[in-house]
Amino acid sequence: MSDIALKCDGVTVSYGALNAIDDVSHSFAQGRIYGLIGPNGAGKTTLLNVLAGRQMRHRGSIHCFGADITRTPPHERAHLGIGRSFQITKIFAEMTVLDNLRIAAQIKHSRFQPFWIAPRYERRLAGDIDAMLELTGLSARRDDIAGTLSYGLQRALELGITLMPDPRILLLDEPLAGVGQHEIASSTRLIKAVSAGRTVLLIEHNMDAIMSLSEEIVVMSNGRVIAVGAPEQIRNDATVRSVYLGEEES
Amino acid sequence: MNASRFDLWLGLPLAAIALLLPFTGPSDFMLNLATLVMIWAVFAIGFDFVFGLLGMVSFGHASFLGLGGYALALATQMWGLPFCAGVSLAIVAGALCAWLFSFFALRVSGIFFALVTLALSQLLYILADSKLRAWTGGADGLPGVARPGLGGIDFFDSTLFYWYVLAVFALVMAAVVVLRRSPFGRVIAGIRQNETRAEQLGFDVHRYKQITFIVSGGISGLAGALLASLLMYVNPQMLHWTTSGDVIIMTLLGGAGTLWGPVIGVLAFEVLKEWLSGWTQYWYGILGLIFILATLFFPKGIVGELQERYGQWRDKAARRDGRIS
Ligand SMILES: Nc1ncnc2c1ncn2[C@@H]1O[C@H](COP(=O)(O)OP(=O)(O)O)[C@@H](O)[C@H]1O
Ligand SMILES: [Mg+2]
């Protein structure tokens, strides 16, 4: 058993002449919460894509708990415990909130999905679904069509879907983007609650949120990791201020 | 909106008509037309597994239908197998062909999926028409395809064959209802709505698509066997791309992805065809025009449109009741 949850070695992703990720080598320790920051286009989303298996065309290698997963397809990585939410919400928009969580619960309970109506199986899912409705505060909206929810609630649902299989590693891409001001505080609390006991890579532009949530900050710029450190250290780092924080303030 | 209640409201009158029709003293022509509609409906339902449920346009379903027809013909004529074995073989043939197609077709998506399935099925058509003449009878086809033999019942009688097909049709409908509501069906619906999400959750999307494609091929093979049995004849026309085109048009007309859409689409298509062709030789052109107008004005198809109206009506009723109480 390795206490490194995720490790990338010399990872490079090229789009034509542009290196979206440029020779990134970094290890993410088990059980730690990492904040991934950097200006738009720095390569943060691309890095999560590489880790989750959405971007398989890259140089270098990826290890998960010591196992080489460089060639492992995304659905297999999910079974290794990697859960992922997206910058642009990905939910089953035409289904009810309940069915969204139900599908997510199915993958947790069985790799085989029955072709017939299976009341006993559905009952086994019900407990997990109720718990997740409670956690995400969606109990009252369980019968609403997911696509009709407010954006903030859709984000909460996506987080619920992502959490349902109980992933050991959480990759969260801007979970607060588009969330209304009045929902930021509750969303931040929710992320904090679900991060406990997991390895988390969190991309977020809301500085207050990411500095309070993260134990370690990784700063990216032009496809490279340019600084790593504790939140207060990064706040005061001159290079980081010039490439990123300064930009935000101007 | 409660889709299953809507399906019930639509299904009950259709079931009543289907059950009462033989008692209204119909002509053989009428009975054969009704039988043909049910068989094509089975085909359209099978097709809609890929088209409506997965959201992929297959232009190769003629292959599964045609192979089903040939499988029954060969099994009963060449190898002397009983009808039931022939039908089972037809299902297996359709499924197996879909499985083979899936290796090529599922590598690509969108328009390329349509093109690959079209190319593969036209290849099969050309083979059946020429190279495999010894098996398929070439362009002449194979006449004298069997009717079912069950405990001495004469299924050459139009009424009895109608009952046989109605029973198979009902079984297929029941199986489809179950599959759509099953955990598997839910995953398929999820894959159509957000493939990335399904994959990232841990579902082997490719495998699910493949299984659905195979089930679709099997149902189409069954329809092919029934069609060959009704016509007592198979020819390569069943494998031709126009057959694939017709089933796309029928399903779109009725409403892809809805339970009764493919059935209503086939019914509308066949009834219009009979009516128009007795009227003018340009019936296919007029049918095409009707189809274009229908897609412009009811893009969700007849049943899709009705289902939406029904949903709006129920929402409104619910809101009104909420305000009163
Ligand atoms: N599919 C793609 N094709 C071409 N360029 C891309 C693609 N995806 C991302 N990029 C480019 O890669 C760089 C990194 O993008 P991204 O990882 O989304 O950045 P971030 O998430 O940090 O804002 C950007 O310059 C972006 O334009
Ligand atoms: Mg991004």
Side-chain angles (χ1 to χ4, degrees), chain B residues 28-316:
Chain B
D28 262 15
F29 169 78
M30 193 65 186
L31 272 174
N32 282 332
L33 179 63
T35 308
L36 181 77
V37 165
M38 287 192 290
I39 294 172
W40 264 86
V42 170
F43 181 36
I45 288 163
F47 168 75
D48 203 38
F49 264 73
V50 172
F51 187 53
L53 296 190
L54 276 184
M56 299 168 76
V57 186
S58 159
F59 233 104
H61 266 61
S63 288
F64 316 142
L65 183 83
L67 271 181
Y70 277 109
L72 175 71
L74 291 172
T76 52
Q77 291 179 3
M78 265 194 179
W79 307 321
L81 293 173
F83 187 84
C84 271
V87 169
S88 310
L89 205 68
I91 296 172
V92 172
L96 214 60
C97 181
W99 181 65
L100 284 176
F101 277 22
S102 74
F103 286 101
F104 305 94
L106 287 181
R107 288 172 177 276
V108 292
S109 55
I111 186 77
F112 296 103
F113 177 76
L115 288 177
V116 170
T117 47
L118 173 64
L120 289 170
S121 74
Q122 276 303 92
L123 187 71
L124 196 67
Y125 165 74
I126 290 164
L127 283 175
D129 202 43
S130 55
K131 287 272 184 292
L132 299 175
R133 197 166 294 152
W135 291 66
T136 63
D140 297 334
L142 297 173
V145 179
R147 286 276 170 105
L150 254 182
I153 304 172
D154 174 21
F155 282 106
F156 288 92
D157 180 275
S158 299
T159 312
L160 291 175
F161 189 62
Y162 173 89
W163 286 116
Y164 183 90
V165 171
L166 179 58
V168 175
F169 174 72
L171 274 177
V172 170
M173 277 320 279
V176 169
V177 168
V178 166
L179 199 112
R180 287 170 66 118
R181 302 176 67 107
S182 70
F184 181 88
R186 199 179 295 130
V187 175
I188 293 299
I191 288 174
R192 183 182 60 76
Q193 289 178 32
N194 202 321
E195 188 170 332
T196 309
R197 171 44 72 201
E199 186 172 47
Q200 208 72 71
L201 266 173
F203 292 103
D204 187 346
V205 168
H206 180 85
R207 181 56 46 85
Y208 277 84
K209 284 182 176 176
Q210 196 173 35
I211 291 171
T212 309
F213 201 59
I214 291 170
V215 171
S216 173
I219 298 176
S220 305
L222 169 66
L226 293 176
L227 187 59
S229 184
L230 170 70
L231 305 173
M232 293 186 266
Y233 176 65
V234 271
N235 74 355
Q237 198 55 37
M238 265 170 97
L239 295 162
H240 195 253
W241 69 267
T242 48
T243 304
S244 304
D246 281 348
V247 79
I248 294 178
I249 289 177
M250 292 180 195
T251 309
L252 272 176
L253 192 62
T258 62
L259 183 66
W260 290 104
V263 182
I264 297 287
V266 171
L267 185 67
F269 187 98
E270 291 296 340
V271 168
L272 277 172
K273 176 173 145 186
E274 284 306 327
W275 186 57
L276 289 170
S277 61
W279 210 53
T280 160
Q281 65 186 102
Y282 303 114
W283 63 269
Y284 206 83
I286 298 180
L287 211 54
L289 197 68
I290 290 175
F291 171 67
I292 291 169
L293 290 176
T295 44
L296 283 177
F297 292 107
F298 318 109
K300 291 181 176 157
I302 300 167
V303 175
E305 210 68 34
L306 283 175
Q307 194 164 312
E308 196 167 271
R309 296 277 159 78
Y310 173 82
Q312 286 165 353
W313 172 77
R314 272 182 62 99
D315 284 354
K316 208 185 285 173

Side-chain angles (χ1 to χ4, degrees), chain A residues 45 87 173-174:
Chain A
T45 297
Q87 189 168 350
D173 199 348
E174 302 197 26

Side-chain angles (χ1 to χ4, degrees), chain A residues 15 18 20 38-47 87 173-174 203 205:
Chain A
Y15 293 115
L18 171 88
N40 271 323
K44 307 180 296 293
T45 297
T46 307
L47 183 63
Q87 189 168 350
D173 199 348
E174 302 197 26
I203 300 177
H205 281 301

Side-chain angles (χ1 to χ4, degrees), chain A:
Chain A
M1 196 70 205
S2 163
D3 55 0
I4 299 296
L6 277 174
K7 183 158 82 90
C8 23
D9 275 307
V11 170
T12 299
V13 175
S14 312
Y15 293 115
L18 171 88
N19 280 351
I21 305 266
D22 195 358
D23 194 23
V24 167
S25 300
H26 197 75
S27 293
F28 299 93
Q30 188 177 354
R32 248 176 118 69
I33 302 170
Y34 292 86
L36 203 51
I37 64 172
N40 271 323
K44 307 180 296 293
T45 297
T46 307
L47 183 63
L48 287 207
N49 284 342
V50 167
L51 295 172
R54 297 227 61 75
Q55 174 59 262
M56 303 274 279
R57 278 184 208 208
H58 63 81
R59 260 172 284 156
S61 66
I62 312 291
H63 286 77
C64 176
F65 294 108
D68 188 342
I69 59 162
T70 312
R71 299 267 155 266
T72 307
H75 68 270
E76 291 291 344
R77 295 193 196 192
H79 289 281
L80 291 173
I82 299 180
R84 160 96 200 257
S85 79
F86 292 84
Q87 189 168 350
I88 296 161
T89 312
K90 293 201 188 299
I91 53 178
F92 306 116
E94 295 161 38
M95 287 184 201
T96 60
V97 168
L98 210 53
D99 276 343
N100 269 269
L101 293 173
R102 200 170 271 146
I103 292 189
Q106 280 173 227
I107 198 72
K108 176 181 177 187
H109 280 263
S110 171
R111 278 191 93 154
F112 168 80
Q113 303 303 333
F115 297 94
W116 51 90
I117 294 166
R120 279 205 12 229
Y121 181 55
E122 304 282 5
R123 271 200 299 278
R124 273 201 288 140
L125 308 179
D128 283 327
I129 298 170
D130 284 341
M132 196 54 74
L133 283 169
E134 187 81 17
L135 180 68
T136 51
L138 287 167
S139 295
R141 315 301 290 271
R142 60 172 68 207
D143 294 318
D144 288 16
I145 300 295
T148 66
L149 296 174
S150 77
Y151 197 71
L153 292 184
Q154 290 191 25
R155 297 247 70 159
L157 176 59
E158 181 171 35
L159 196 59
I161 295 172
T162 308
L163 285 170
M164 186 60 98
D166 201 12
R168 292 185 287 178
I169 299 170
L170 263 183
L171 310 175
L172 304 178
D173 199 348
E174 302 197 26
L176 296 178
V179 173
Q181 275 306 321
H182 57 292
E183 290 168 321
I184 294 259
S186 61
S187 296
T188 309
R189 270 199 304 280
L190 178 58
I191 293 167
K192 182 143 200 118
V194 303
S195 298
R198 304 177 208 267
T199 309
V200 181
L201 264 71
L202 171 69
I203 300 177
E204 190 43 65
H205 281 301
N206 183 317
M207 276 306 135
D208 294 334
I210 200 153
M211 290 299 175
S212 71
L213 285 168
S214 310
E215 295 164 321
E216 193 167 327
I217 302 281
V218 176
V219 188
M220 289 186 71
S221 174
N222 292 321
R224 289 170 169 275
V225 173
I226 56 162
V228 180
E232 53 282 9
Q233 211 178 325
I234 294 296
R235 257 190 221 278
N236 302 323
D237 186 297
T239 346
V240 175
R241 291 188 75 91
S242 73
V243 305
Y244 188 57
L245 297 177
E247 231 178 57
E248 287 284 295
E249 277 154 22
S250 65

